[in-house]
Amino acid sequence: MTDHSAPDTGEKRPALIPATPAGIARAAELLRAGRLVAFPTETVYGLGADATDDRAVAAIFAAKGRPQFNPLIVHVPDLVAAHSWGLFDDRAHDLATQFWPGPLTMVVPRPANSALSLLVSAGLDSIAIRVPNHPVAQAILRATGKPIAAPSANRSGAVSPTTPHHVLESLGDRVDAIVTGGKCMVGLESTVIDLTGPEAVLLRPGAVLPDEMERLIGPVRLSAGDPTAPKSPGQLESHYAPNAAVRLNASSAEEDEAFLTFGPDRFVFGGATRLNLSLEGDLNEAAANLFSHLRSLDQSGAKRIAVMPIPEVGLGMAINDRLRRAAAPRG
């Protein structure tokens, strides 16, 4: 078998594993051995570890520099497997039937005798769980035979990764291997809905929209959020942030700013770097480009990134959620 890992330069680098049957088998072997493996999902690249192994899960927090009060999402291959790790009521079953596999995470009660590491729940009596809709993620989950905790494969609070290069750039030797599965198609983290109480609560917007869920289960309330005690990932006030400061609702860019635009681009100004999320004003295309464009503009050397307004409709709600957190004051 061809060795796809980086050449030995004296500096440790993660193995780059192709998304072939042999590569999937190698990734599963590493995960079962308690190692960290980044892999693609339809949303973003995840930093995977065996969710039943305390040491492996703790390594995720260490690699990301992630606060341990911030829960992780557990990935499983199907609803049958999900039943082993969470308690599903009728609402959860209806949503799973409609949206799994896909970019929807459900927070459900955690069984008292669960074998999952307590770290994935951050001390809560709930579990965030999802079935990804990506052939590589599915193959890894089935080959591993274990639930996989997999937050985004980047340093905590930074821009999420949508390509293998983004993972390597953000985590470097903090990850043992990266499965190279191309660019993620959705480009935004999953929608998260809390079903632990009588009222369904949207914790994080994403590609599965509130009105789509409401047609199945009735009213869904938008969470006010508590960044000091989040019930799911993506609820910290400052998150998804580039190194450069972010200025929202900009109609033009200043001299020291890069410019992130949306829709027909007729802006004229000198010198600054500019990228367009979607010339056609397509929110799906904008979501897929958001994190990669933020990374590119961040690398331009600009002190600040000015961002045009994005319509607060449909997937624009999720895009604006990520942008507001990117622009939030940083501790």
Side-chain angles (χ1 to χ4, degrees):
M1 180 173 126
T2 303
D3 183 3
H4 291 268
S5 60
D8 186 4
T9 61
E11 177 184 356
K12 181 189 171 189
R13 289 175 68 81
L16 299 179
I17 300 177
T20 60
I24 298 299
R26 176 58 178 156
E29 179 184 22
L30 288 169
L31 286 164
R32 287 193 298 269
R35 309 291 285 276
L36 299 184
V37 177
F39 61 90
T41 76
E42 74 277 24
T43 56
V44 298
Y45 270 72
L47 180 60
D50 177 358
T52 66
D53 183 333
D54 287 333
R55 293 174 70 111
V57 174
I60 289 178
F61 287 94
K64 285 177 62 71
R66 182 185 180 96
Q68 290 199 1
F69 62 79
N70 197 6
L72 304 178
I73 294 174
V74 174
H75 294 66
V76 294
D78 51 41
L79 179 56
V80 173
H83 278 148
S84 300
W85 310 109
L87 301 176
F88 287 73
D89 61 15
D90 289 343
R91 299 171 302 172
H93 277 114
D94 288 344
L95 290 172
T97 299
Q98 180 68 27
F99 297 112
W100 278 1
L104 176 67
T105 294
M106 289 188 276
V107 179
V108 297
R110 173 185 171 128
N113 61 347
S114 176
L116 292 173
S117 169
L118 290 172
L119 284 172
V120 299
S121 298
L124 302 173
D125 57 1
S126 58
I127 185 71
I129 195 163
R130 143 171 139 83
V131 175
N133 185 21
H134 191 289
V136 174
Q138 279 284 329
I140 290 172
L141 288 166
R142 294 183 187 280
T144 305
K146 291 177 176 288
I148 301 300
S152 57
N154 59 283
R155 296 302 303 274
S156 183
V159 180
S160 297
T162 55
T163 69
H165 176 73
H166 294 162
V167 179
L168 188 61
E169 184 179 68
S170 188
L171 291 179
D173 63 3
R174 293 169 178 263
V175 58
D176 295 298
I178 303 170
V179 179
T180 57
K183 183 178 179 181
C184 300
M185 296 306 296
V186 175
L188 288 178
E189 296 84 357
S190 60
T191 301
V192 182
I193 187 169
D194 179 10
L195 299 173
T196 57
E199 185 179 31
V201 181
L202 180 69
L203 299 181
R204 181 176 72 185
V208 176
L209 305 179
D211 60 341
E212 294 178 303
M213 294 185 287
E214 287 182 334
R215 284 195 287 269
L216 289 175
I217 65 171
V220 175
R221 179 173 63 82
L222 179 61
S223 171
D226 180 357
T228 65
K231 295 194 74 171
S232 84
Q235 290 191 285
L236 298 180
E237 184 176 1
S238 178
H239 206 53
Y240 316 112
N243 291 317
V246 175
R247 181 170 68 90
L248 301 180
N249 299 315
S251 59
S252 62
E254 303 295 336
E255 196 68 31
D256 62 347
E257 293 181 325
F259 200 16
L260 185 62
T261 62
F262 175 78
D265 193 340
R266 302 185 181 89
F267 294 93
V268 178
F269 62 98
T273 301
R274 178 172 68 210
L275 288 174
N276 195 303
L277 290 170
S278 173
L279 279 167
E280 303 298 322
D282 183 328
L283 290 170
N284 289 300
E285 182 184 15
N289 286 332
L290 177 63
F291 290 137
S292 60
H293 281 14
L294 280 174
R295 283 176 177 272
S296 295
L297 294 176
D298 200 28
Q299 292 167 356
S300 72
K303 295 181 179 179
R304 194 162 56 177
I305 299 171
V307 183
M308 274 186 64
I310 308 295
E312 189 78 20
V313 296
L315 197 51
M317 179 181 178
I319 295 170
N320 283 319
D321 171 77
R322 306 312 192 270
L323 287 170
R324 281 190 290 268
R325 294 179 193 277
R330 304 171 194 182

